Amino acid sequence: MKPETRTKLFSAIKKKTFLGVLLAISAGHSYAVEDPEQPKATETEQTAAEVQATENEKQQVEDSAAAVELKPAMITIPEEKLFEVITARAKKLASEPYVAPKDLELEALTSINYQDYRAIRFRTEQAIWKDQSLYEMQLFHPGFLYRSPVAINTLEQNAEVKSLPFKTDYYRYDATAAPLEQEISTAIANTQLGHAGFRLHFPLNNNEYKDEVAVFQGASYFRLVGPHQVYGLSARGLAVDTALSSGEEFPVFKEFWLVKPAPEDTTIVLYALLDSPSVSGAYRFELTPSTNTEVKTEMQIFARKDIKKLGIAPLTSMFYHGENSTKFFDDYRPEVHDSDGLLMQSEQGQWIWRALNNPKKLSVTSFSYENPKGFGLAQRDRDFNNYLDTEAHYHNRPSMWIEPVGNWGKGRVELVEIPTDTETNDNIVSYWVPEQPMKAGDSLSFSYKLSTFNATLATQDKASVLRTRIGSAALPGEDNPPPKSHRQFTVDFSGETINQLSANFAMQADLTLSAGQISDKTVQQLPNNQGWRVAFKVAPEGDKPVDMRLSLKLRDKEISEVWSYVWYPNDVQ
């Protein structure tokens, strides 16, 4: 289970659409149609393979150049069959050549700037399910960075599938965006733009107001918050070829189906169809906001071609600088990050904490496991005084935990840390990589629960790392100081149990290095029962990275999580 660290170069990054049974179009609206086959009404038990378009509808579309007025028959699919139908559609997609999403052609939206896009606001009175449920849905306008609109459907209580067509009535076009309303209305005429995504609102913090709890927008990205948290890191449906020199592929959720919740439902279910040049897939999300926000996720994916590296349950975050940074940042804020560590738990129950870093070169670290109990990115430091940011509120960013359902077998949790010179870049990624690569024609299923949390998980039964600090190994006033690559480390552990232990206990520090030498190792109790500190110096062996593992032991029993860190001798010049 020892992590293997390696540094790699990183490069950032019309066939007719198969609509099948799931194309649901509201009568009376105009759509840009690419498929010559429109679905007819289906029986409840029919699957995608059994649905055929009527000859009359075929002729309607074949006679159209780009967009036509259609009034398709109502489509009904019981919710218990919907995942099966979307899976069948994903499987068919994977058997066909990839068709890239069609980008917007309206220059007014493709050339819009950030300020103009922000001036387009959804009208809250137009919220989907307003005053009908604990949940409300608001839509995002296409344009700006979101140039490949997605289709959004609802599944009603009577199993009727309804599409949510784009319309300018959903939005307010304020300030500099005001001229866009008429321009868009005129330009789209008989075509349909689609949406950039959606957000879900729910009474998360009190009964008087419905807070945002989830956002699905852009590629396969989605974000969640728990009570009194603000958006930070993102989850993704899938990661493909992350941190490979050949470049990363970003799968896209191209269509969504949201099951209309009953008036008092506290759980909402939604489905998504994913597609990319390498893979397609069906997803089912069961979202439940409570004392934290949980999403039970079920996925079935199909490989269109061989995949070099498949990332399951990816999390994407930002670490600009923090308590362990060794280079100067011209910033009044002591720390700037959405997450400060990667937390993992093995099948045997061992907890491992890897403090994040903003490295000089791209770093890819692997932690090998068999059937891990979980992993996630955490914002463990939740003290405002360590950030001093009254706008970004980094101390309230969520942590996220991935808990596999069933056995995931052998594989690795991979952590990617990318150099960045700004907090606007997401430079941290983590995900699970199965041991066996996915080949063309393969199919894989995974289930897991994604949960928000704050500093620590309720299930953590051992002391946790409180802080990691690094400095020069030179003594004050030393005449012949060691090289700058020699470092002084202090790692503080804290926990309800160990904080109360007497200073007379012979606490042991179990510290191992992959290379280099350790000196001046000490263990001491922090004042006022704040925890225990392990301090030590490291002398690297040339330019070799130093892979370290440290835990606290009492009478040979491990009583803390394992601190894992890699020191690169050239990080300080």
Side-chain angles (χ1 to χ4, degrees):
M1 195 169 63
K2 185 175 182 179
E4 176 185 340
T5 307
R6 56 194 184 277
T7 300
K8 302 180 179 179
L9 294 176
F10 180 82
S11 45
I13 65 173
K14 178 165 151 195
K15 184 171 165 51
K16 310 278 190 293
T17 307
F18 174 62
L19 299 183
V21 66
L22 297 172
L23 177 59
I25 304 176
S26 298
H29 290 284
S30 301
Y31 280 72
V33 178
E34 294 181 346
D35 197 310
E37 298 184 357
Q38 291 293 317
K40 63 182 180 180
T42 63
E43 295 296 328
T44 297
E45 299 299 323
Q46 284 183 304
T47 66
E50 298 173 308
V51 178
Q52 300 294 328
T54 64
E55 291 302 318
N56 180 52
E57 287 169 332
K58 286 182 185 178
Q59 189 60 47
Q60 280 183 324
V61 178
E62 288 168 357
D63 290 343
S64 169
V68 293
E69 289 284 343
L70 294 176
K71 292 186 179 180
M74 182 183 74
I75 297 174
T76 59
I77 307 172
E79 203 256 316
E80 62 269 19
K81 291 288 184 180
L82 186 51
F83 187 69
E84 177 184 338
V85 172
I86 300 172
T87 300
R89 181 172 165 188
K91 184 177 182 180
K92 187 175 189 303
L93 274 176
S95 69
E96 301 171 342
Y98 174 68
V99 179
K102 187 175 181 180
D103 284 350
L104 293 170
E105 296 180 353
L106 183 56
E107 186 179 356
L109 290 177
T110 57
S111 61
I112 191 174
N113 62 34
Y114 175 70
Q115 293 301 329
D116 289 347
Y117 186 73
R118 280 177 55 88
I120 304 175
R121 296 178 172 86
F122 190 87
R123 296 181 181 274
T124 56
E125 68 274 14
Q126 294 279 4
I128 313 302
W129 310 317
K130 186 173 180 59
D131 300 327
Q132 301 175 38
S133 164
L134 291 175
Y135 285 93
E136 291 180 359
M137 174 170 51
Q138 297 184 14
L139 306 171
F140 288 112
H141 200 289
F144 186 49
L145 300 177
Y146 308 101
R147 300 184 179 186
S148 299
V150 299
I152 300 175
N153 312 283
T154 60
L155 182 64
E156 304 298 306
Q157 295 297 314
N158 62 358
E160 179 184 354
V161 176
K162 290 184 177 179
S163 71
L164 292 176
F166 172 87
K167 54 184 181 181
T168 54
D169 291 347
Y170 279 140
Y171 302 95
R172 297 197 331 262
Y173 298 82
D174 297 334
T176 55
L180 289 173
E181 183 171 9
Q182 184 57 47
E183 188 174 354
I184 293 169
S185 299
T186 302
I188 63 175
N190 294 326
T191 64
Q192 177 51 229
L193 286 181
H195 308 278
F198 62 91
R199 58 192 177 199
L200 293 171
H201 293 244
F202 181 85
L204 180 66
N205 296 306
N206 59 65
N207 289 326
E208 286 71 44
Y209 181 77
K210 293 182 179 179
D211 306 273
E212 280 188 52
V213 294
V215 168
F216 285 75
Q217 185 182 26
S220 67
Y221 285 82
F222 59 98
R223 295 190 293 172
L224 308 168
V225 288
H228 307 295
Q229 294 176 346
V230 298
Y231 286 127
L233 79 166
S234 301
R236 277 197 267 169
L238 204 63
V240 176
D241 294 345
T242 304
L244 296 184
S245 59
S246 55
E248 183 170 3
E249 178 178 303
F250 292 89
V252 171
F253 286 140
K254 60 186 295 181
E255 191 161 359
F256 293 92
W257 296 260
L258 292 91
V259 180
K260 181 180 181 179
E264 296 302 319
D265 280 352
T266 56
T267 293
I268 188 170
V269 177
L270 54 146
Y271 298 81
L273 176 66
L274 177 138
D275 198 22
S276 77
S278 298
V279 64
S280 63
Y283 285 72
R284 182 182 188 272
F285 302 100
E286 187 174 310
L287 172 69
T288 306
S290 183
T291 53
N292 60 358
T293 297
E294 295 183 354
V295 180
K296 295 178 182 177
T297 303
E298 181 181 356
M299 55 182 285
Q300 176 84 41
I301 56 175
F302 303 89
R304 184 179 274 113
K305 62 182 184 179
D306 293 352
I307 299 174
K308 297 176 184 177
K309 182 165 63 175
L310 183 68
I312 304 298
L315 299 173
T316 301
S317 191
M318 179 275 294
F319 185 94
Y320 182 34
H321 62 90
E323 63 193 20
N324 56 314
S325 296
T326 56
K327 53 187 175 183
F328 173 72
F329 290 88
D330 194 7
D331 196 324
Y332 75 91
R333 299 165 298 179
E335 301 181 39
V336 177
H337 48 74
D338 286 333
S339 305
D340 55 11
L342 170 66
L343 180 66
M344 297 161 282
Q345 188 183 26
S346 70
E347 184 179 29
Q348 294 74 29
Q350 185 180 58
W351 295 92
I352 295 181
W353 172 259
R354 167 67 189 273
L356 300 179
N357 196 13
N358 181 359
K360 289 183 63 176
K361 297 180 180 179
L362 182 141
S363 172
V364 181
T365 308
S366 294
F367 301 83
S368 296
Y369 288 104
E370 182 172 358
N371 298 321
K373 288 189 176 180
F375 68 94
L377 293 175
Q379 183 75 320
R380 183 167 280 182
D381 188 344
R382 310 194 74 79
D383 186 345
F384 167 79
N385 292 312
N386 292 334
Y387 302 95
L388 302 178
D389 195 319
T390 57
E391 295 181 0
H393 299 285
Y394 286 115
H395 62 292
N396 286 333
R397 301 293 171 112
S399 303
M400 287 192 187
W401 182 248
I402 304 293
E403 181 182 344
V405 175
N407 292 332
W408 280 16
K410 293 183 178 180
R412 65 185 189 269
V413 175
E414 195 163 272
L415 173 65
V416 179
E417 297 167 297
I418 307 166
T420 184
D421 58 2
T422 172
E423 65 194 278
T424 60
N425 293 335
D426 280 346
N427 64 321
I428 303 295
V429 192
S430 70
Y431 42 80
W432 171 257
V433 181
E435 182 179 61
Q436 296 299 321
M438 194 175 189
K439 302 293 186 181
D442 288 351
S443 173
L444 288 176
S445 297
F446 288 91
S447 296
Y448 58 92
K449 183 173 71 174
L450 193 161
S451 305
T452 63
F453 66 102
N454 289 321
T456 57
L457 291 161
T459 53
Q460 286 183 257
D461 55 356
K462 294 184 178 180
S464 58
V465 175
L466 180 63
R467 63 180 68 89
T468 300
R469 292 196 176 271
I470 306 171
S472 170
L475 295 173
E478 190 171 2
D479 292 335
N480 188 23
K484 290 184 178 180
S485 62
H486 291 218
R487 309 308 289 172
Q488 168 76 53
F489 285 83
T490 61
V491 183
D492 294 344
F493 293 85
S494 180
E496 184 177 354
T497 302
I498 71 163
N499 290 3
Q500 303 305 318
L501 290 176
S502 168
N504 295 326
F505 275 107
M507 197 79 74
Q508 302 164 345
D510 186 3
L511 174 62
T512 60
L513 274 63
S514 63
Q517 299 294 322
I518 303 169
S519 64
D520 301 334
K521 184 176 71 172
T522 61
V523 181
Q524 64 184 102
Q525 190 178 49
L526 296 173
N528 303 320
N529 295 325
Q530 295 182 69
W532 292 74
R533 169 169 296 178
V534 180
F536 57 95
K537 293 179 180 179
V538 171
E541 183 182 333
D543 291 333
K544 290 183 180 179
V546 184
D547 187 348
M548 296 171 279
R549 291 168 67 87
L550 167 68
S551 63
L552 283 177
K553 287 189 173 182
L554 181 62
R555 301 189 183 97
D556 295 326
K557 181 180 179 181
E558 192 171 79
I559 61 172
S560 75
E561 63 188 11
V562 177
W563 173 82
S564 172
Y565 203 82
V566 177
W567 169 250
Y568 296 92
N570 61 357
D571 268 3
V572 175
Q573 293 180 344

